[in-house]
Amino acid sequence: MLAHAAWVGRLTHDEGLQDAITRKGITHPGLGDADRAMLAYVEKLTLRPGTVEREDVEALRAAGFSDQAIGDVAINAALFAFMNRVVDGLGGRLDVDGMVENAQRYGYPLHPGTY
């Protein structure tokens, strides 16, 4: 989450948006309704995949996502989860300056030397 939010900050030059995404503050004015719907869906799919229902997909359609776009969102969320587990399972190391400190500042469970 930290690395992805950091890229949002770099691309948009909006540190407030970067901070909001890092804190899961999806009410930030820089996010539209479609962004909020997608982020809520991805959070649910990532943290509670067994609870995703047809209504969650319908909420994305109502926000303007096509079936292909919904599939892309689900596939990308699944691939990130998969790759994180592979890296963690192989003892991957985090080599990004400041990432551990940022994780601690936001209260994320990231430990020095790990991914």
Side-chain angles (χ1 to χ4, degrees):
M1 173 62 86
L2 290 168
H4 302 140
W7 273 109
V8 168
R10 285 185 197 104
L11 293 172
T12 64
H13 305 289
D14 186 340
E15 290 181 17
L17 178 59
Q18 175 182 337
D19 184 67
I21 291 173
T22 302
R23 294 182 188 279
K24 301 180 187 176
I26 63 173
T27 60
H28 187 278
L31 296 170
D33 291 339
D35 297 321
R36 289 182 187 85
M38 185 231 1
L39 290 169
Y41 172 80
V42 167
E43 180 179 42
K44 187 173 186 179
L45 180 59
T46 300
L47 300 177
R48 301 173 306 283
T51 67
V52 175
E53 304 279 340
R54 182 175 303 276
E55 292 79 20
D56 298 306
V57 174
E58 291 301 328
L60 290 175
R61 283 191 186 112
F65 288 87
S66 67
D67 287 346
Q68 181 177 348
I70 294 167
D72 288 346
V73 169
I75 288 167
N76 278 282
L79 287 172
F80 274 98
F82 169 77
M83 291 307 299
N84 286 338
R85 281 157 184 80
V86 169
V87 171
D88 287 343
L90 296 174
R93 299 189 60 77
L94 183 65
D95 294 324
V96 178
D97 292 335
M99 190 63 71
V100 172
E101 293 79 14
N102 282 336
Q104 290 170 343
R105 183 168 56 114
Y106 285 102
Y108 286 150
L110 187 65
H111 307 285
T114 65
Y115 177 75

mmCIF file of all heavy atoms in Angstrom, residues 8-9 12-23 25 28-30 106:
data_model
loop_
_atom_site.group_PDB
_atom_site.id
_atom_site.type_symbol
_atom_site.label_atom_id
_atom_site.label_comp_id
_atom_site.label_asym_id
_atom_site.label_seq_id
_atom_site.Cartn_x
_atom_site.Cartn_y
_atom_site.Cartn_z
ATOM 1 N N VAL A 8 1.111 7.203 -6.523
ATOM 2 C CA VAL A 8 -0.005 8.128 -6.760
ATOM 3 C C VAL A 8 0.444 9.555 -6.457
ATOM 4 O O VAL A 8 0.172 10.475 -7.225
ATOM 5 C CB VAL A 8 -1.236 7.744 -5.905
ATOM 6 C CG1 VAL A 8 -2.286 8.851 -5.926
ATOM 7 C CG2 VAL A 8 -1.842 6.442 -6.402
ATOM 8 N N GLY A 9 1.154 9.725 -5.351
ATOM 9 C CA GLY A 9 1.655 11.055 -4.998
ATOM 10 C C GLY A 9 2.600 11.611 -6.038
ATOM 11 O O GLY A 9 2.524 12.785 -6.405
ATOM 12 N N THR A 12 0.496 12.397 -9.358
ATOM 13 C CA THR A 12 -0.493 13.471 -9.267
ATOM 14 C C THR A 12 0.056 14.740 -8.636
ATOM 15 O O THR A 12 -0.592 15.780 -8.699
ATOM 16 C CB THR A 12 -1.699 13.018 -8.428
ATOM 17 O OG1 THR A 12 -1.273 12.776 -7.080
ATOM 18 C CG2 THR A 12 -2.371 11.788 -9.010
ATOM 19 N N HIS A 13 1.235 14.646 -8.024
ATOM 20 C CA HIS A 13 1.820 15.771 -7.284
ATOM 21 C C HIS A 13 0.863 16.239 -6.178
ATOM 22 O O HIS A 13 0.803 17.423 -5.854
ATOM 23 C CB HIS A 13 2.179 16.935 -8.209
ATOM 24 C CG HIS A 13 3.074 16.540 -9.328
ATOM 25 N ND1 HIS A 13 4.404 16.217 -9.136
ATOM 26 C CD2 HIS A 13 2.831 16.373 -10.658
ATOM 27 C CE1 HIS A 13 4.939 15.885 -10.301
ATOM 28 N NE2 HIS A 13 4.009 15.960 -11.235
ATOM 29 N N ASP A 14 0.101 15.290 -5.615
ATOM 30 C CA ASP A 14 -0.892 15.596 -4.580
ATOM 31 C C ASP A 14 -0.557 14.772 -3.339
ATOM 32 O O ASP A 14 -0.973 13.624 -3.212
ATOM 33 C CB ASP A 14 -2.292 15.266 -5.098
ATOM 34 C CG ASP A 14 -3.396 15.688 -4.144
ATOM 35 O OD1 ASP A 14 -3.119 15.886 -2.936
ATOM 36 O OD2 ASP A 14 -4.545 15.793 -4.608
ATOM 37 N N GLU A 15 0.225 15.378 -2.429
ATOM 38 C CA GLU A 15 0.622 14.666 -1.213
ATOM 39 C C GLU A 15 -0.575 14.348 -0.331
ATOM 40 O O GLU A 15 -0.588 13.347 0.383
ATOM 41 C CB GLU A 15 1.663 15.465 -0.437
ATOM 42 C CG GLU A 15 3.007 15.512 -1.141
ATOM 43 C CD GLU A 15 4.046 16.284 -0.346
ATOM 44 O OE1 GLU A 15 3.852 16.500 0.864
ATOM 45 O OE2 GLU A 15 5.064 16.657 -0.956
ATOM 46 N N GLY A 16 -1.591 15.199 -0.372
ATOM 47 C CA GLY A 16 -2.812 14.939 0.404
ATOM 48 C C GLY A 16 -3.516 13.689 -0.078
ATOM 49 O O GLY A 16 -4.001 12.891 0.726
ATOM 50 N N LEU A 17 -3.568 13.506 -1.393
ATOM 51 C CA LEU A 17 -4.175 12.304 -1.951
ATOM 52 C C LEU A 17 -3.337 11.083 -1.597
ATOM 53 O O LEU A 17 -3.876 10.038 -1.218
ATOM 54 C CB LEU A 17 -4.318 12.435 -3.468
ATOM 55 C CG LEU A 17 -4.899 11.231 -4.198
ATOM 56 C CD1 LEU A 17 -6.291 10.887 -3.678
ATOM 57 C CD2 LEU A 17 -4.944 11.499 -5.696
ATOM 58 N N GLN A 18 -2.028 11.215 -1.692
ATOM 59 C CA GLN A 18 -1.137 10.114 -1.314
ATOM 60 C C GLN A 18 -1.384 9.712 0.136
ATOM 61 O O GLN A 18 -1.522 8.538 0.455
ATOM 62 C CB GLN A 18 0.317 10.525 -1.500
ATOM 63 C CG GLN A 18 1.311 9.485 -1.010
ATOM 64 C CD GLN A 18 2.743 9.942 -1.153
ATOM 65 O OE1 GLN A 18 3.058 10.810 -1.964
ATOM 66 N NE2 GLN A 18 3.628 9.360 -0.370
ATOM 67 N N ASP A 19 -1.455 10.694 1.016
ATOM 68 C CA ASP A 19 -1.690 10.422 2.429
ATOM 69 C C ASP A 19 -3.061 9.782 2.640
ATOM 70 O O ASP A 19 -3.203 8.831 3.417
ATOM 71 C CB ASP A 19 -1.573 11.716 3.233
ATOM 72 C CG ASP A 19 -1.708 11.478 4.717
ATOM 73 O OD1 ASP A 19 -0.818 10.836 5.306
ATOM 74 O OD2 ASP A 19 -2.711 11.926 5.296
ATOM 75 N N ALA A 20 -4.071 10.270 1.947
ATOM 76 C CA ALA A 20 -5.420 9.720 2.100
ATOM 77 C C ALA A 20 -5.465 8.255 1.680
ATOM 78 O O ALA A 20 -6.064 7.419 2.367
ATOM 79 C CB ALA A 20 -6.423 10.537 1.281
ATOM 80 N N ILE A 21 -4.827 7.932 0.566
ATOM 81 C CA ILE A 21 -4.823 6.538 0.104
ATOM 82 C C ILE A 21 -4.058 5.668 1.089
ATOM 83 O O ILE A 21 -4.499 4.565 1.424
ATOM 84 C CB ILE A 21 -4.249 6.443 -1.315
ATOM 85 C CG1 ILE A 21 -5.233 7.082 -2.300
ATOM 86 C CG2 ILE A 21 -3.963 4.989 -1.694
ATOM 87 C CD1 ILE A 21 -4.712 7.203 -3.697
ATOM 88 N N THR A 22 -2.953 6.159 1.587
ATOM 89 C CA THR A 22 -2.171 5.401 2.558
ATOM 90 C C THR A 22 -2.990 5.121 3.807
ATOM 91 O O THR A 22 -2.951 4.032 4.361
ATOM 92 C CB THR A 22 -0.877 6.146 2.929
ATOM 93 O OG1 THR A 22 -0.130 6.365 1.733
ATOM 94 C CG2 THR A 22 -0.036 5.344 3.892
ATOM 95 N N ARG A 23 -3.771 6.092 4.238
ATOM 96 C CA ARG A 23 -4.589 5.950 5.441
ATOM 97 C C ARG A 23 -5.952 5.310 5.151
ATOM 98 O O ARG A 23 -6.789 5.211 6.037
ATOM 99 C CB ARG A 23 -4.804 7.304 6.103
ATOM 100 C CG ARG A 23 -3.553 7.921 6.654
ATOM 101 C CD ARG A 23 -3.879 9.253 7.338
ATOM 102 N NE ARG A 23 -2.686 9.947 7.718
ATOM 103 C CZ ARG A 23 -1.983 9.681 8.812
ATOM 104 N NH1 ARG A 23 -2.365 8.730 9.622
ATOM 105 N NH2 ARG A 23 -0.896 10.365 9.083
ATOM 106 N N GLY A 25 -8.254 6.639 3.434
ATOM 107 C CA GLY A 25 -9.241 7.711 3.539
ATOM 108 C C GLY A 25 -9.877 7.973 2.194
ATOM 109 O O GLY A 25 -9.521 8.934 1.515
ATOM 110 N N HIS A 28 -11.348 11.452 0.283
ATOM 111 C CA HIS A 28 -10.557 12.572 -0.237
ATOM 112 C C HIS A 28 -11.198 13.096 -1.527
ATOM 113 O O HIS A 28 -11.624 12.314 -2.385
ATOM 114 C CB HIS A 28 -9.119 12.109 -0.506
ATOM 115 C CG HIS A 28 -8.199 13.214 -0.888
ATOM 116 N ND1 HIS A 28 -8.118 13.702 -2.178
ATOM 117 C CD2 HIS A 28 -7.326 13.940 -0.154
ATOM 118 C CE1 HIS A 28 -7.237 14.670 -2.214
ATOM 119 N NE2 HIS A 28 -6.733 14.836 -1.000
ATOM 120 N N PRO A 29 -11.265 14.426 -1.684
ATOM 121 C CA PRO A 29 -11.906 14.996 -2.878
ATOM 122 C C PRO A 29 -11.200 14.649 -4.189
ATOM 123 O O PRO A 29 -11.799 14.773 -5.253
ATOM 124 C CB PRO A 29 -11.891 16.509 -2.621
ATOM 125 C CG PRO A 29 -10.905 16.725 -1.533
ATOM 126 C CD PRO A 29 -10.821 15.451 -0.747
ATOM 127 N N GLY A 30 -9.957 14.200 -4.128
ATOM 128 C CA GLY A 30 -9.247 13.802 -5.337
ATOM 129 C C GLY A 30 -9.710 12.469 -5.894
ATOM 130 O O GLY A 30 -9.324 12.084 -6.988
ATOM 131 N N TYR A 106 2.485 5.048 9.667
ATOM 132 C CA TYR A 106 1.080 4.779 9.374
ATOM 133 C C TYR A 106 0.528 3.579 10.155
ATOM 134 O O TYR A 106 -0.628 3.225 10.013
ATOM 135 C CB TYR A 106 0.884 4.541 7.873
ATOM 136 C CG TYR A 106 0.962 5.817 7.075
ATOM 137 C CD1 TYR A 106 2.106 6.145 6.366
ATOM 138 C CD2 TYR A 106 -0.103 6.698 7.047
ATOM 139 C CE1 TYR A 106 2.182 7.321 5.637
ATOM 140 C CE2 TYR A 106 -0.035 7.871 6.322
ATOM 141 C CZ TYR A 106 1.099 8.178 5.619
ATOM 142 O OH TYR A 106 1.174 9.344 4.896
#
